[in-house]
Amino acid sequence: MTSTARDLLAVSPVIPVVVVEDPADAVPLAQALLRGGVGIIEITLRTPNAVAALAAVAEAVPEMRVGAGTVTTPQQVEAARNAGAGFLVSPGATEALVDAALASGLPFLPGAGTVSEMLALRERGLDTLKFFPAEPSGGRAYLSAVAGPLPDFAFCPTGGISAGSAADWLALPNVGCVGGSWLTPADAVRARDWDRIERLASESTALRE
Ligand code: 3PG
C-alpha cells in the first residue's frame, strides 16, 4: 500500500475524481476503473453517501487505493479515516485542516493555487500538492513557471483538465499525475455503464506509456 503522498502520484497518470450519489454504485465503479488499469480513486465528500461509498470500496476492493476528496474540515478527516480512506485530498488548506490531516497519518494532497499557498504548505512539511483549480489558476503556464523557483514540489493538477489536455500537463517536470472527473462521467455512472468507464480508464493509463 502507498505510504507517502509522493507515491500516490505514481500510481496512475490520472486520479479519477468521483462523485457517488448511490453507494451501491461505488464498488462496481471502482472495479471498472481497476479493470481499466487505474488503481486509485478519489471519492469526493460531496454527497450524503460519500463516506458509505468510500467504506464500501475500502472493504470490497482491497486492490484499489481509495481516498477521500473534497476534504474541507477536520471532522471530514476523521470520518474519512474511520471509513478506511487510504489518502486525503483537499481543494485548499487551513491550519486546522492541515493539523487534522497530519494527525491522521494518512498521505495528504492539499490544494494550493498560488506560490504563497505552496510555500505555507511546505512549512508544514507538505510539498506534494494538488494544484487547484488548475486551469482557472493559471493553467500550465503558471505551474511551469513555478518549477523554476520551487523545484522540489510535485503536483497533481486538477480542475478543468480533460482527456485532450492531460498529456500536455503530464509533460511538465513538476507534474506527477493529474486529477479529473472525466473517467467517470455522471451520465455513465447513472446508466451504470461500467464498460464505458473501463474504456475511459484504460485510455487514461496509456497517457504515460
Ligand atoms: C475536483 O474536485 O478536484 C474537481 O472538481 C475536478 O475537476 P474536473 O471536474 O474539472 O475534472
Side-chain angles (χ1 to χ4, degrees), residues 17 19 42 44 46 69-70 89-91 130 132-133 157-162 179-182:
V17 177
V19 177
E42 173 189 333
T44 57
R46 289 183 207 175
T70 323
V89 186
S90 71
K130 166 171 168 161
F132 182 81
T158 307
I161 299 177
S162 65
S181 58
W182 80 89

Side-chain angles (χ1 to χ4, degrees), residues 71-201:
V71 176
T72 58
T73 67
Q75 293 73 22
Q76 286 176 317
V77 170
E78 187 62 20
R81 201 177 59 89
N82 290 339
F87 65 94
L88 306 168
V89 186
S90 71
T94 66
E95 270 197 41
L97 184 59
V98 170
D99 287 346
L102 293 177
S104 78
L106 293 172
F108 178 40
L109 285 176
T114 68
V115 170
S116 295
E117 290 167 4
M118 294 166 191
L119 292 177
L121 286 164
R122 188 171 62 187
E123 287 177 2
R124 306 295 310 271
L126 297 161
D127 60 9
T128 304
L129 309 179
K130 166 171 168 161
F131 177 52
F132 182 81
E135 292 291 359
S137 297
R140 293 175 62 247
Y142 189 100
L143 202 59
S144 166
V146 164
L150 306 180
D152 48 327
F153 282 81
F155 295 94
C156 172
T158 307
I161 299 177
S162 65
S165 64
D168 287 339
W169 279 98
L170 289 164
L172 296 182
N174 53 356
V175 169
C177 69
V178 302
S181 58
W182 80 89
L183 301 194
T184 56
D187 59 331
V189 178
R190 250 192 323 271
R192 307 207 156 117
D193 189 348
W194 311 129
D195 287 347
R196 182 171 162 214
I197 287 173
E198 178 182 339
R199 238 179 358 258
L200 289 165

Side-chain angles (χ1 to χ4, degrees), residues 25-27 30 41 43 52-66:
D25 290 339
V27 168
I41 182 173
I43 297 182
L54 203 159
V57 174
E59 164 84 21
V61 196
E63 316 89 298
M64 180 59 100
R65 288 176 171 89
V66 56

